[in-house]
Amino acid sequence: MTEAERLRIDKWLWHARFCKTRGLAVDLVQGGKLRVNGQKVLKPGRAVGPGDVLTLAFGGQVRVLRVLACGTRRGPAVEAALLYHLLEETGVRATGAAAEQP
């Protein structure tokens, strides 16, 4: 895999719309909330590419996904969804009727 097929993890998280800004993506990575292929990543400059498996822990959820592409820009959500495949999602979401119960 060439370097052109890889992208900084903070930029990839931003392109894939997991974070609203690259600054928030940096905070996520430096906060220890991310693993790449099972190894904790603390540096936002870590390169990822197609085939890498990411484990993200934020917002009360843990998401495991496979990187399918790097992307060239932060496009619409439909385009961002093509950058990854969700393998697993766990956690509690406060939505609907469950959020209204005491």
Side-chain angles (χ1 to χ4, degrees):
M1 187 175 312
T2 66
E3 193 60 35
E5 295 171 343
R6 301 183 67 73
L7 191 64
R8 290 174 55 107
I9 187 64
D10 63 331
K11 198 168 184 179
W12 188 88
L13 289 168
W14 181 62
H15 281 188
R17 294 185 161 265
F18 284 99
C19 298
K20 288 185 179 184
T21 66
R22 279 189 65 191
L24 290 174
V26 168
D27 292 344
L28 179 79
V29 174
Q30 290 178 337
K33 307 277 186 187
L34 175 75
R35 291 181 182 267
V36 176
N37 298 324
Q39 296 183 345
K40 188 179 275 192
V41 175
L42 297 173
K43 294 185 178 184
R46 164 69 156 84
V48 295
D52 286 335
V53 175
L54 307 181
T55 305
L56 300 159
F58 67 97
Q61 297 179 327
V62 175
R63 293 179 180 162
V64 181
L65 52 103
R66 182 176 313 278
V67 176
L68 299 177
C70 289
T72 57
R73 66 184 187 125
R74 179 179 165 90
V78 174
E79 186 178 310
L82 299 175
L83 300 180
Y84 63 92
H85 172 71
L86 189 62
L87 300 173
E88 183 178 340
E89 183 173 22
T90 60
V92 178
R93 286 188 180 178
T95 59
E100 297 172 6
Q101 294 182 5

